[in-house]
């Protein structure tokens, strides 16, 4: 079962690389995503046993992120039907923004997406720290060709930054893994198996000096991948220059996988009585991320870059949740779920806007509401959701995280984070509201009625679904999900 | 001092004074061999010195007493340096703790006198050569000092004679890598100080490429003979530092030890000849990198002696 | 003893990379370094050779020594790159940084004493020196290919650390790490090629359009 989860997308990816039939490729992607979802649902019903000497197994955090990943993947694969139709039909108008890819690149695109899914599944399923490292590096490599799908100099620059910075970060994380294994050496000289459960149970005997160094290295390394400041510098470029469905996947699923890596080391530190140290570091990174996000969101002119910095902000909130501890961990996990759903829907909507307005600058996009009521409303709801307004899900998780901060006595940090969230809200509001509302027109000017936007249903339904889900999660958290989250936080 | 020690030190000084120009002959023969020629006779440097001694002496009207005295004073200084350097099993006349530093400074004095003699001629040509020479020596000196300190660290002694006596095969066994790196550094410094390729071409007479040769352009007759002799002695001294590291063999037979040591010196000269024949001169801008690389090698060697 | 010799040679290759100015010789030096490190596990377990160590060593030497060099040479040939590398920090500064990094690495080696856990006291200094050199190469060099070389050196440094600790990881993980590095180099090579096609240069200093 576990093998199927990993190998099915990989196999389909190889098929996609080999076929040249374009519609077959799209259906391969959709079929792969659908079957992956079905497998995941069956995992929920009946957890499969561990394989590979316990290196691959399902545990609560892995299950959560696996579910998020495959849900997002399915919806993105539906979106891509419409996305590719647009690319094929509208080449003349889109020349300046989107460069029409060749057939060869398209099969690479689909194939790499399936490899990407397979690698992310591997991350969520691996229980062995080194295997997890291999999987996270594999996700970086599988997603890099996806970013330069539209081969423009800008996207190539973004890809280069992404590749180099993330690979360096992950190499440091490997060093951290080695340090961890030194810390885990038993006094008689034998090595502890790096399987996660093993590490947790033996954690009190670990050498604290080496464990501290290992934690710092791994947080810096995986934090680079996750987008925590000050290692976030690749994130705005990569997430804004890649095609919109890929941005959705990167922001919604990939950042979570890196977060999973940090979470695992965080748990080990807590079990090894270094909890206070780990919390301090997470708090520091979280606050710095919030500050950086706030600074760069104010006055941001590119709406996709705005969404990317918003990802940095939410990753900072995740780190803060871990840093506060207690119920903050529950809040972080809930926040990861909500953020993935909302951010993915926003990026998909941004894709629709980009196709219709042919510009990434927010100043070029005016009056979405007048041209398409549906899109405008969705964009507005998306903004409300991502900035943490009730009744959307992010409100609940942000409240939980901040509340845990006050509970733990970290008044200054919690208040500071609230203030920064307000600043970010203001920054985002300016951009979003300017985009949705029409420009005020003088009475004497002729009123040009711009043509209504063409929206393909396949592109519209996934964001709608995701936003609805976000709304639902804000009002009602299903019991089974709540149990899972509590399970994670309890460890 | 007992008679035997006095005898040994006398032999050491006499051997250095007499045998030094042969190294130049060996290098020239090796270069000729690589070029497919028969080349000069091995004793050619001696013939050149004697020939020059018989020639007339001319002084330029722009020079002063510095130029006239320069050659003799540098000869005196370098013979003083020779008094510290051991000749294989024959100890040096003067040896005390820290004489490695004295050696470096005596070489510095010789270089200084050569440079001011060159500047004294008032020619811009010599001035250019002097500035280049000082620049490269400034870079080579840390390498030399660090290499000597590395040797001192390996053998725990600060005198050239005791370094030569203490070095043995066990040092190679324990600190082989360090000693190899130190030898590399010393070899590079030898090439630099003696104006050999890849730092300077001793055969060139083109303005653009001369460094050392240009400083001695104005010397004539006996002065030039002394200059040639001094360069032979410089080569001898630098080889004498490397030779005990190369063949650190101490048997009780003095003749055997001396012949092994001599063969080491010959080997070093052959190596210089090979390097001269197989490489081209480096660009002037690359030479600082090269010398800094030698310093890095010396530091690596010293750092390696901390461990294991 | 042989392990020490191997590690010292690795250290010297790092020094050469810091002071080197030509792309071709840099690629070859990194290939030599990779091969030396591939032989490291072989020499460490010389007395208890088994199939696993042999295959891993041969695989690493083949991959790091030949395949990577091949890929990178192809990338620079196809991209028609001017072979000289112009860095931000001059070669003299790079060498000086290298000397300081060397001293710091050896000092760290004294502090983080692993004692029985490592095969040789030189492991920590050489691996940290590799890491510092790799990071410096990535930061100070302009050409994208040199940055890839810096990444390889960084990975080599981390690998030295892992290989030098007693009975570190199992075969599967080592193969995984090796494959990861291979695919990384592949993807980086392809990206460099595309960059050279689109932008007519591989000077990362000129990739500055994306900024706030």
């Amino acid at each position: 079962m576990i093998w199927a989860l990993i190998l099915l997308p990989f196999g389909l990816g190889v098929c996609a690389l080999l076929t040249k039939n374009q519609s077959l490729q799209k259906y391969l992607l959709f079929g792969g995503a659908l079957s992956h979802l079905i497998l995941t649902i069956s995992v929920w019903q009946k957890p499969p046993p561990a394989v590979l000497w316990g290196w691959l197994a399902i545990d609560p955090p892995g299950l959560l992120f696996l579910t998020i990943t495959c849900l997002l993947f399915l919806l993105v694969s539906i979106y891509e039907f419409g996305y590719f139709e647009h690319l094929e039909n509208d080449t003349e108008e889109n020349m300046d923004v989107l460069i029409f890819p060749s057939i060869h690149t398209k099969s690479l695109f689909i194939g790499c997406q399936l490899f990407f899914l397979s690698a992310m599944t591997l991350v969520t399923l691996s229980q062995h720290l080194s295997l997890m490292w291999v999987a996270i590096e594999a996700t970086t490599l599988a997603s890099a060709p996806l970013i330069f799908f539209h081969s423009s100099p800008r996207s190539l620059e973004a890809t280069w930054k992404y590749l180099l910075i993330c690979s360096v970060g992950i190499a440091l994380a490997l060093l951290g893994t080695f340090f961890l294994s030194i810390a885990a050496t038993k006094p008689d000289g034998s090595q502890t198996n790096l399987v996660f459960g093993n590490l947790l149970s033996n954690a009190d005997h670990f050498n604290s000096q080496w464990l501290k160094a290992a934690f710092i290295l791994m947080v810096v390394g995986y934090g680079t991948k996750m987008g925590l400041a000050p290692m976030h510098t690749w994130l705005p470029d990569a997430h804004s220059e890649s095609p919109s469905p890929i941005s959705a996947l990167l922001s919604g699923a990939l950042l979570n996988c890196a977060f999973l890596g940090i979470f695992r080391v965080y748990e080990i530190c807590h079990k090894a009585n270094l909890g206070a140290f780990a919390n301090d570091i997470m708090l520091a990174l979280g606050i710095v991320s919030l500050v950086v996000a706030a600074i760069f969101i104010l006055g941001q002119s590119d709406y996709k870059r705005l969404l990317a910095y918003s990802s940095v902000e939410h990753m900072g909130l995740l780190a803060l949740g871990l840093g506060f501890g207690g119920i903050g961990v529950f809040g972080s996990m809930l926040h990861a779920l909500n953020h993935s759903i909302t951010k993915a829907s926003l990026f998909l909507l941004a894709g629709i806007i980009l196709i219709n307005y042919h510009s990434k600058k927010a100043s070029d996009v005016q009056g979405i509401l007048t041209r398409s009521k549906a899109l405008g409303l969705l964009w507005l709801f998306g903004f409300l959701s991502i900035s943490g307004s009730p009744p959307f899900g992010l409100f609940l998780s942000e409240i939980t995280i901040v509340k845990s901060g006050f509970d733990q006595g970290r008044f200054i940090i919690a208040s500071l984070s609230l203030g920064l969230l307000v600043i970010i809200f203001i920054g985002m509001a300016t951009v979003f509201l300017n985009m949705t509302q029409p420009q005020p027109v003088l009475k004497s000017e002729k009123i040009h009625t711009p043509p209504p936007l063409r929206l393909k249903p396949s592109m519209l339904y996934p964001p709608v679904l995701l936003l609805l889900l976000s709304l639902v999660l804000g009002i009602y958290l299903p019991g089974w999900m709540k149990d899972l989250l509590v399970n994670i936080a309890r460890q | 001092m007992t008679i035997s020690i006095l005898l040994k030190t006398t032999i050491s000084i006499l051997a250095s004074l007499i045998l030094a120009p042969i190294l130049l002959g060996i290098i020239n023969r090796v270069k000729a061999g690589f070029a497919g020629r028969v080349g000069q006779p091995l004793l050619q440097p001696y013939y050149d010195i004697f020939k020059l001694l018989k020639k007339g002496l001319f002084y330029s009207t722009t020079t002063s007493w510095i130029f006239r005295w320069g050659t003799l004073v540098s000869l005196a200084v370098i013979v003083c340096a020779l008094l510290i350097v051991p000749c294989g099993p024959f100890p040096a006349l003067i040896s005390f703790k820290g004489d490695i530093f004295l050696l470096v400074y005596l070489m510095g004095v010789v270089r200084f006198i050569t440079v001011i003699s060159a500047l004294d001629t008032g020619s811009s040509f010599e001035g250019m050569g002097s500035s280049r020479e000082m620049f490269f020596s400034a870079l080579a000196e840390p390498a030399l000092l660090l290499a000597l300190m590395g040797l001192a660290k390996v053998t725990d002694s600060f005198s050239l004679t005791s370094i030569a006596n203490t070095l043995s095969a066990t040092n190679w066994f324990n600190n082989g890598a360090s000693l190899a790196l130190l030898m590399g550094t010393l070899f590079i410094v030898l090439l630099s100080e003696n104006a050999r390729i890849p730092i300077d071409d001793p055969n060139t007479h083109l303005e653009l490429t001369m460094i050392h040769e240009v400083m001695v352009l104005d010397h004539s007759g006996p002065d030039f003979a002394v200059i040639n002799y001094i360069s032979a002695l410089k080569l001898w001294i630098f080889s004498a530092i490397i030779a005990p590291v190369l063949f650190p063999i101490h048997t009780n037979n003095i003749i055997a030890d001396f012949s092994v040591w001599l063969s080491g010196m010959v080997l070093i000269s052959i190596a210089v000849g090979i390097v001269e024949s197989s490489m081209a001169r480096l660009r002037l801008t690359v030479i600082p990198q090269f010398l800094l690389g030698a310093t890095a090698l010396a530091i690596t060697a010293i750092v390696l002696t901390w461990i294991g | 003893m042989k392990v020490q010799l191997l590690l010292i040679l690795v250290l010297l290759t790092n020094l050469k990379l810091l002071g080197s100015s030509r792309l071709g010789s840099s690629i070859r030096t990194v290939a030599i370094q990779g091969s030396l490190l591939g032989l490291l596990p072989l020499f460490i377990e010389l007395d208890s050779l088994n199939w696993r160590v042999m295959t891993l060593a041969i695989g690493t030497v083949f991959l790091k020594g030949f395949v990577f060099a091949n890929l990178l040479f192809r990338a620079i040939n196809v991209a028609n790159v001017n072979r000289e590398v112009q860095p931000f920090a001059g070669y003299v500064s790079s060498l000086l940084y290298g000397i300081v990094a060397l001293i710091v690495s050896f000092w760290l080696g004294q502090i983080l004493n692993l004692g029985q856990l490592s095969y040789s006291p030189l492991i920590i200094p050489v691996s940290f020196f590799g890491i510092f050199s790799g990071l410096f190469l990535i930061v100070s060099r302009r050409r994208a290919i040199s940055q890839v070389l810096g990444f390889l050196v960084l990975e080599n440094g981390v690998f030295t650390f892992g290989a030098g600790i007693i009975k570190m990881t199992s075969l599967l993980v080592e193969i995984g790490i090796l494959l990861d590095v291979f695919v990384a180099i592949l993807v980086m090579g392809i990206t460099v090629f595309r960059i050279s096609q689109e932008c007519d240069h591989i000077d990362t200093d000129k990739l500055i359009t994306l900024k706030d």
Side-chain angles (χ1 to χ4, degrees):
Chain A
M1 176 62 69
I2 290 188
W3 287 117
L5 272 171
I6 301 173
L7 292 175
L8 181 66
F10 187 78
L12 286 176
V14 174
C15 294
L17 278 180
L18 297 172
T19 62
K20 298 276 193 263
N21 186 345
Q22 298 197 23
S23 51
L24 180 61
Q25 287 170 353
K26 282 184 275 191
Y27 283 111
L28 264 179
L29 186 64
F30 176 66
L34 191 59
S35 42
H36 198 258
L37 183 65
I38 296 175
L39 284 172
T40 312
I41 294 178
S42 70
V43 166
W44 271 95
Q45 308 281 10
K46 180 173 88 81
V51 296
L52 205 65
W53 316 292
W55 283 20
L56 291 173
I58 295 275
D59 69 339
L63 187 56
L64 174 69
F65 291 122
L66 180 65
T67 322
I68 299 175
T69 306
C70 70
L71 180 67
L72 280 183
F73 210 84
L74 180 66
L75 291 171
V76 164
S77 62
I78 298 177
Y79 180 88
E80 286 193 9
F81 278 105
Y83 187 71
F84 279 124
E85 276 177 43
H86 264 292
L87 284 185
E88 285 154 26
N89 300 337
D90 306 335
T91 44
E92 321 86 46
E93 300 147 43
N94 295 347
M95 262 316 186
D96 49 338
V97 175
L98 310 167
I99 299 177
F100 184 54
S102 65
I103 294 181
H104 177 68
T105 2
K106 196 109 76 74
S107 47
L108 188 68
F109 188 64
I110 306 268
C112 277
Q113 274 187 285
L114 287 164
F115 291 147
F116 188 41
L117 177 63
S118 169
M120 282 198 282
T121 317
L122 189 60
V123 174
T124 54
L125 290 176
S126 50
Q127 297 291 317
H128 188 268
L129 278 185
S130 301
L131 189 61
M132 190 176 70
W133 180 87
V134 171
I136 293 186
E137 173 80 6
T139 60
T140 311
L141 300 172
S143 49
L146 296 172
I147 299 181
F148 69 75
F149 179 55
H150 301 299
S151 289
S152 60
R154 290 169 60 107
S155 62
L156 280 173
E157 177 184 337
T159 314
W160 186 249
K161 265 172 123 167
Y162 172 65
L163 258 183
L164 213 54
I165 297 180
C166 286
S167 298
V168 169
I170 294 182
L172 289 178
L174 183 62
L175 188 65
T177 316
F178 289 150
F179 275 26
L180 189 65
S181 84
I182 292 183
T185 318
K186 298 207 191 72
D188 59 353
S190 66
Q191 293 270 315
T192 317
N193 198 354
L194 278 181
V195 169
F196 193 55
N198 224 339
L199 286 171
L200 274 183
S201 45
N202 287 330
D204 1 345
H205 310 300
F206 287 178
N207 182 341
S208 1
Q209 281 296 98
W210 283 101
L211 187 57
K212 278 191 194 175
F215 181 72
I216 293 181
L217 276 173
M218 288 182 86
V219 161
V220 165
Y222 290 140
T224 313
K225 200 81 209 320
M226 182 176 157
L228 289 175
M231 293 95 56
H232 71 289
T233 41
W234 58 273
L235 207 153
D237 302 333
H239 285 210
S240 63
E241 293 302 322
S242 51
S244 306
I246 302 301
S247 303
L249 280 179
L250 286 177
S251 263
L254 190 54
L255 299 183
N256 283 339
C257 292
F259 177 58
L260 183 62
I262 296 185
F263 181 64
R264 301 240 192 249
V265 186
Y266 171 82
E267 286 203 297
I268 296 177
C269 272
H270 267 269
K271 272 275 158 52
N273 301 323
L274 282 181
F277 170 77
N279 283 349
D280 286 338
I281 294 200
M282 298 307 293
L283 282 177
L285 284 174
I287 278 288
V288 173
S289 303
L290 276 178
V291 169
V292 166
I295 293 175
F296 283 100
I297 283 182
L298 286 176
Q300 185 62 246
S301 58
D302 180 337
Y303 54 90
K304 277 185 86 171
R305 246 178 129 77
L306 183 74
L307 291 175
Y309 276 114
S310 155
S311 292
V312 175
E313 167 214 343
H314 288 285
M315 290 300 124
L317 278 173
L318 289 182
L320 275 182
L322 282 190
F324 289 141
I327 202 174
V329 183
F330 173 83
S332 281
M333 292 299 162
L334 185 60
H335 193 78
L337 175 64
N338 284 320
H339 169 251
S340 305
I341 294 174
T342 318
K343 190 49 68 64
S345 76
L346 272 172
F347 267 116
L348 295 180
L349 288 171
I352 301 178
I353 295 178
L354 182 59
I355 285 184
N356 285 296
Y357 280 88
H358 310 314
S359 167
K360 283 199 192 133
K361 293 221 165 305
S363 47
D364 292 339
V365 180
Q366 303 276 353
I368 303 179
L369 211 49
T370 50
R371 290 182 69 174
S372 158
K373 274 234 163 40
L375 187 60
L377 275 178
L378 282 176
W379 193 239
L380 210 53
F381 284 152
F383 155 66
L384 286 176
S385 176
I386 197 78
S387 51
S389 316
F392 289 97
L394 274 170
F395 171 70
L396 269 186
S397 46
E398 281 180 10
I399 274 267
T400 318
I401 292 178
V402 176
K403 177 174 175 302
S404 76
F406 283 114
D407 279 344
Q408 302 284 333
R410 309 267 197 177
F411 298 116
I412 301 180
I413 297 185
S415 335
L416 189 59
S417 60
L418 274 179
L420 288 168
L421 284 174
V422 168
I423 296 179
I424 292 174
F425 177 84
I426 296 173
M428 292 187 79
T430 7
V431 175
F432 273 85
L433 291 176
N434 278 339
M435 285 170 75
T436 17
Q437 290 168 341
Q439 282 280 50
V441 178
L442 288 180
K443 275 218 183 95
S444 52
E445 279 184 15
K446 266 204 288 199
I447 302 180
H448 300 272
T449 40
L453 298 172
R454 309 156 287 170
L455 298 170
K456 294 199 191 307
S458 58
M459 290 180 80
L460 207 51
Y461 285 149
V464 168
L465 222 63
L466 286 170
L467 277 176
L468 269 178
L469 195 57
S470 166
L471 187 61
V472 163
L473 281 175
I475 305 176
Y476 161 70
L477 192 60
W480 39 273
M481 181 57 80
K482 187 154 176 220
D483 286 336
L484 179 70
L485 294 172
V486 169
N487 237 345
I488 300 175
R490 191 166 289 157
Q491 283 171 357
Chain B
M1 259 196 181
T2 62
I3 299 289
S4 69
I5 294 187
L6 199 59
L7 194 64
K8 282 187 193 166
T9 53
T10 321
I11 296 182
S12 129
I13 300 173
L14 281 178
S16 317
L17 287 174
I18 297 178
L19 290 176
I22 278 228
L23 294 183
L24 280 177
I26 298 178
I27 295 179
N28 286 332
R29 264 312 256 264
V30 169
K31 279 165 72 170
F34 264 86
R37 302 180 274 123
V38 172
Q40 319 164 324
L42 266 181
L43 300 179
Q44 185 62 32
Y46 292 101
Y47 301 148
D48 284 339
I49 292 178
F50 288 133
K51 169 188 77 173
L52 285 166
L53 279 175
K54 291 185 216 148
K55 292 205 169 185
L57 202 54
F58 289 94
Y59 286 122
S60 157
T61 44
T62 48
T63 58
S64 64
W65 59 271
I66 298 179
F67 191 79
R68 289 162 179 70
W69 283 100
T71 44
L72 286 178
V73 173
S74 34
L75 182 63
V77 173
I78 210 162
V79 172
C80 286
L82 213 54
L83 296 178
I84 320 180
V85 176
C87 249
F90 299 117
L93 182 62
I94 306 175
S95 86
F96 53 91
K97 207 167 173 195
D99 63 20
I100 44 179
F101 298 114
L102 183 62
L103 179 72
V104 176
Y105 284 116
L106 284 174
M107 299 313 241
V109 171
V110 172
R111 192 182 318 122
F112 172 67
I113 297 178
T114 319
V115 164
I116 56 169
S117 305
L119 287 174
D120 192 39
T121 60
S123 155
S124 57
F125 203 12
E126 267 101 342
M128 173 197 82
S130 311
S131 81
R132 285 179 184 171
E133 167 87 7
M134 288 313 269
F135 178 45
F136 295 142
S137 305
L139 291 172
E141 209 165 278
L144 179 60
L145 275 171
L146 284 169
L148 286 173
M149 284 203 275
L151 280 180
K153 180 135 199 327
V154 167
T155 56
D156 258 336
S157 56
F158 277 86
S159 161
L160 279 174
T161 317
S162 50
I163 289 179
N165 289 338
T166 324
L167 273 175
S168 65
T170 43
N171 287 110
W172 271 98
F173 193 65
N174 291 336
N175 291 325
S178 301
L179 283 178
L181 288 172
L182 285 172
M183 248 181 34
T185 314
L186 284 170
F187 190 68
I188 294 178
V189 171
L190 185 153
L191 292 175
S192 163
E193 289 291 325
N194 292 290
R196 298 273 138 200
I197 289 179
I199 297 177
D200 182 15
D201 191 351
N203 287 339
T204 181
H205 290 287
L206 298 171
E207 174 177 330
L208 211 54
T209 57
M210 285 204 256
I211 300 177
H212 191 80
E213 289 299 310
V214 76
M215 291 194 296
V216 299
L217 269 183
D218 264 297
H219 297 267
S220 53
D223 267 352
F224 197 44
V226 172
I227 294 280
N228 281 349
Y229 189 55
I230 291 177
S231 65
L233 284 178
K234 250 176 133 175
L235 185 61
W236 177 267
I237 290 178
F238 276 100
S239 309
I241 304 178
I242 305 184
V245 185
L246 187 58
F247 288 141
I249 300 183
H250 302 283
T251 60
N252 280 327
N253 190 346
I254 254 192
I255 306 289
D257 277 347
F258 188 58
S259 15
V260 166
W261 185 85
L262 265 185
S263 57
M265 300 284 276
V266 168
L267 209 65
I268 296 173
S269 306
I270 296 180
V272 172
I274 295 178
V275 165
E276 288 228 316
S277 316
S278 39
M279 281 182 76
R281 213 199 68 163
L282 291 173
R283 272 174 25 211
L284 273 179
T285 47
V286 178
I287 295 182
Q289 265 175 264
F290 188 59
L291 291 172
L292 199 59
T295 318
L297 285 181
I299 294 185
T300 314
I302 296 180
V303 157
L304 277 176
T305 56
W306 289 352
I307 310 235
Chain C
M1 181 58 206
K2 291 202 187 64
V3 171
Q4 287 226 350
L5 187 65
L6 215 60
L7 288 172
I8 292 174
L9 284 174
V10 169
L11 196 144
L12 289 177
T13 52
N14 272 328
L15 268 178
K16 178 168 193 316
L17 277 171
L18 280 174
S20 171
S21 59
R22 319 230 353 250
L23 267 182
S25 83
S26 298
I27 296 180
R28 248 165 273 163
T29 313
V30 173
I32 293 177
Q33 191 184 74
S35 318
L36 286 171
L37 283 174
L39 294 174
L40 186 66
L42 206 64
F43 280 111
I44 284 181
E45 300 193 26
L46 204 56
D47 30 347
S48 60
L49 275 183
N50 54 8
W51 276 113
R52 171 203 137 191
V53 175
M54 289 283 288
T55 36
L56 192 65
I58 294 177
T60 315
V61 170
F62 177 64
L63 212 57
K64 288 197 177 178
F66 296 106
V67 175
F68 286 171
N70 221 350
L71 278 173
L72 290 171
F73 269 118
R74 242 202 260 165
I76 60 176
N77 280 332
V78 163
N80 208 6
V81 167
N82 175 11
R83 303 241 171 167
E84 283 275 315
V85 175
Q86 314 117 3
F88 289 113
Y91 297 107
V92 175
S93 323
S94 306
L95 269 177
L96 283 174
Y97 168 86
I99 294 177
V100 171
L102 190 65
I103 298 179
V104 169
S105 316
F106 273 88
W107 173 72
L108 277 175
Q110 303 277 38
I111 290 189
L112 300 170
N113 198 2
L114 277 182
Q116 281 302 98
L117 274 177
S118 67
Y119 283 108
S120 158
L122 272 181
I123 290 280
I124 291 193
V126 174
S127 68
F128 272 104
F129 185 57
I131 294 174
F132 289 142
S133 313
L135 284 173
F136 185 76
L137 281 174
I138 293 181
V139 165
S140 69
R141 300 286 191 253
R142 280 211 179 100
R143 296 244 180 260
I145 287 279
S146 311
Q147 292 179 344
V148 176
L149 287 176
F151 170 68
L152 267 177
V153 172
L154 177 65
E155 279 281 346
N156 280 345
V158 178
F159 175 80
T160 319
F161 190 81
I165 303 181
I166 295 188
K167 289 202 179 19
M168 244 305 309
T169 44
S170 87
L171 178 66
L172 203 62
V173 174
E174 284 165 354
I175 288 187
I177 296 179
L178 204 58
L179 272 177
D180 259 345
V181 180
F182 169 62
V183 178
I185 300 297
L186 198 64
V187 174
M188 284 185 191
I190 295 177
T191 314
V192 168
F193 169 62
R194 297 292 279 274
I195 292 178
S196 79
Q197 269 198 324
E198 285 294 324
C199 318
D200 286 326
H201 65 83
I202 56 168
D203 197 338
T204 52
D205 191 34
K206 299 200 190 125
L207 295 178
I208 49 171
T209 46
L210 293 175
K211 56 174 174 242
D212 282 309

